[in-house]
Amino acid sequence: MYETFYGFSAKPFQLRPDPHFFFGSKGHKRAMAYLEYGLSQGEGFIIVTGEVGAGKTTLVRNLFNGLPSDQIVAAHIVNTHLDPEDTLRMVVSAFGLPYEGASKTDLLTRLEKFLCDVDHQGKRALLVIDEAQNLSARTVEELRMLSNFQTDDKSLLQTFLLGQPEFRTTLHSPGMQQLRQRVIASYHLGPMDAQETRAYIEHRLATVGWNGDPSFDDGAHAAIYAYSGGIPRKVNTLMDRVLLMGYLEEMHAFGEADINTVISDISEEFQLPAGQAAPVPAPDAIPGTGLGALGQELRTLDERAGERRASSVEVLDERMMRLEKSIVSVLSILKKIVATPQGAVTQPVDNQE
């Protein structure tokens, strides 16, 4: 909607990860260096953790854009609410192999043959698993076992694990010693600082043809950083709303008060309606209920529902873009109507087919 108003070639702050907008903050550059170092080693596990919205998936997509297809065969898995055997099926499927109706033995045999064929072609196989914090200890162990596929002088499969900070709890649990011994590098991706956040905003704007319109003063940037904490996804969410307000109000300059107005609007949208009670805690969180198993099942169902919602973000974003373009034409007509002098005669419309 606001792209045309500001002369942008696209939305600069879309929610879906897009390597086209990759910004190399100090933390992101170091994380990329770890991933590239892992690729150069060709074996073991590389682990990258970070807060929700820190840009881990964008890192992966940026990495994939630079992978030499004639040297590396890569698979990317994001659905991690799976038991160990389903995870094995997902790995086999991610590499394009048949998996339906196959036993675990068949799946392992097919995967080993595929990895050997890749090696004979002079290539390497890379498995990237996103949202690793959802993996159970048994599932992580199943993935570790896959690293046992190797020839006399090299490993046939390398694995990158990316997840939220709580994955480190799994990694450092007592049963993960063998996995830790195979981790060749680990990095935690933190938030951007205030200066990087400003550079990040200007980078994304410049990527879509920004020429200084709209402008943001120092107070505006300070307010953006205070709200987002330097987390890219939070910056994107806020900035998208700021530019939408700018379009509706025909604004070309933003200050601290303008940013705080949008922040206030966002905060109000997430408040519970008056009189509505707060969510009831899961049964296993209530002492003495004896419903631990049921509570765990309910939580698992809720997590899966959340995952489905997350996986639909890209589709919703595209639908919103189409809706916004439709609204533009309607608003343009309304503006013309408002601008027409009272009593002016409008020309009849020729309705001939």
Side-chain angles (χ1 to χ4, degrees):
M1 180 182 293
Y2 53 74
E3 300 98 303
T4 302
F5 181 71
Y6 290 119
F8 297 157
S9 60
K11 288 186 68 173
F13 298 102
Q14 59 192 9
L15 293 181
R16 65 178 181 271
D18 188 343
H20 181 63
F21 288 98
F22 178 76
F23 173 72
S25 71
K26 181 170 59 178
H28 288 82
K29 285 180 179 178
R30 292 194 65 180
M32 278 300 301
Y34 273 77
L35 294 177
E36 291 169 353
Y37 169 76
L39 280 178
S40 70
Q41 298 302 297
E43 63 179 354
F45 289 80
I46 297 290
I47 294 176
V48 175
T49 57
E51 299 293 342
V52 176
K56 300 182 296 296
T57 302
T58 301
L59 276 175
V60 171
R61 297 194 177 185
N62 188 61
L63 176 73
F64 276 25
N65 271 0
L67 288 180
S69 58
D70 60 334
Q71 299 177 26
I72 297 176
V73 178
H76 187 194
I77 294 177
V78 295
N79 186 354
T80 53
H81 283 288
L82 303 167
D83 61 32
E85 188 163 335
D86 283 339
T87 299
L88 176 58
R89 293 181 185 278
M90 185 67 74
V91 171
V92 170
S93 173
F95 280 116
L97 305 175
Y99 64 92
E100 294 184 358
S103 66
K104 182 176 181 178
T105 301
D106 291 336
L107 293 172
L108 290 171
T109 300
R110 290 174 188 176
L111 182 59
E112 182 177 21
K113 182 180 183 303
F114 169 78
L115 295 175
C116 288
D117 290 342
V118 169
D119 181 58
H120 291 156
Q121 296 169 17
K123 301 180 181 180
R124 293 192 287 116
L126 172 65
L127 175 63
V128 178
I129 298 183
D130 220 333
E131 304 298 336
Q133 74 279 354
N134 297 325
L135 298 172
S136 67
R138 289 180 57 234
T139 301
V140 174
E141 177 62 14
E142 187 74 32
L143 292 171
R144 184 196 67 79
M145 294 292 290
L146 297 182
S147 65
N148 289 332
F149 289 133
Q150 50 190 296
T151 63
D152 292 338
D153 60 345
K154 69 178 72 171
S155 176
L156 295 177
L157 179 65
Q158 184 176 27
T159 303
F160 290 177
L161 297 172
L162 295 92
Q164 295 170 25
E166 52 265 36
F167 177 62
R168 291 183 175 270
T169 302
T170 301
L171 180 63
H172 291 284
S173 61
M176 293 291 104
Q177 182 177 356
Q178 293 190 66
L179 174 65
R180 291 195 298 272
Q181 291 175 351
R182 302 193 183 193
V183 174
I184 61 177
S186 177
Y187 183 74
H188 179 73
L189 179 61
M192 301 178 290
D193 61 25
Q195 184 177 357
E196 288 177 325
T197 300
R198 181 171 188 152
Y200 171 82
I201 292 170
E202 294 176 349
H203 166 78
R204 294 191 73 107
L205 287 169
T207 302
V208 298
W210 178 61
N211 59 2
D213 178 23
S215 62
F216 300 86
D217 65 19
D218 293 343
H221 280 290
I224 294 168
Y225 178 71
Y227 171 80
S228 67
I231 298 294
R233 187 180 298 168
K234 294 190 70 174
V235 174
N236 290 0
T237 301
L238 175 59
M239 287 300 299
D240 187 62
R241 291 289 296 271
V242 167
L243 292 174
L244 177 60
M245 182 186 76
Y247 165 73
L248 295 174
E249 301 293 334
E250 298 186 352
M251 300 171 64
H252 294 276
F254 294 90
E256 180 179 0
D258 303 313
I259 304 300
N260 286 333
T261 296
V262 177
I263 292 173
S264 178
D265 289 343
I266 294 174
S267 298
E268 289 179 2
E269 292 170 5
F270 286 94
Q271 290 179 354
L272 284 173
Q276 183 171 330
V280 178
D284 62 337
I286 304 175
T289 59
L291 297 178
L294 176 59
Q296 178 62 37
E297 180 65 21
L298 289 174
R299 185 165 60 247
T300 300
L301 290 173
D302 182 64
E303 289 174 347
R304 290 179 178 174
E307 184 178 66
R308 288 194 294 270
R309 290 193 296 270
S311 65
S312 66
V313 167
E314 295 187 9
V315 175
L316 290 175
D317 198 34
E318 292 175 0
R319 289 179 179 175
M320 285 297 296
M321 290 176 66
R322 291 197 296 268
L323 179 60
E324 288 174 355
K325 290 179 180 178
S326 299
I327 294 175
V328 168
S329 60
V330 175
L331 290 175
S332 297
I333 294 173
L334 291 174
K335 288 180 179 179
K336 290 179 180 178
I337 292 174
V338 173
T340 302
Q342 194 171 24
V345 179
T346 57
Q347 294 297 322
V349 179
D350 187 354
N351 290 323
Q352 291 183 349
E353 297 291 335

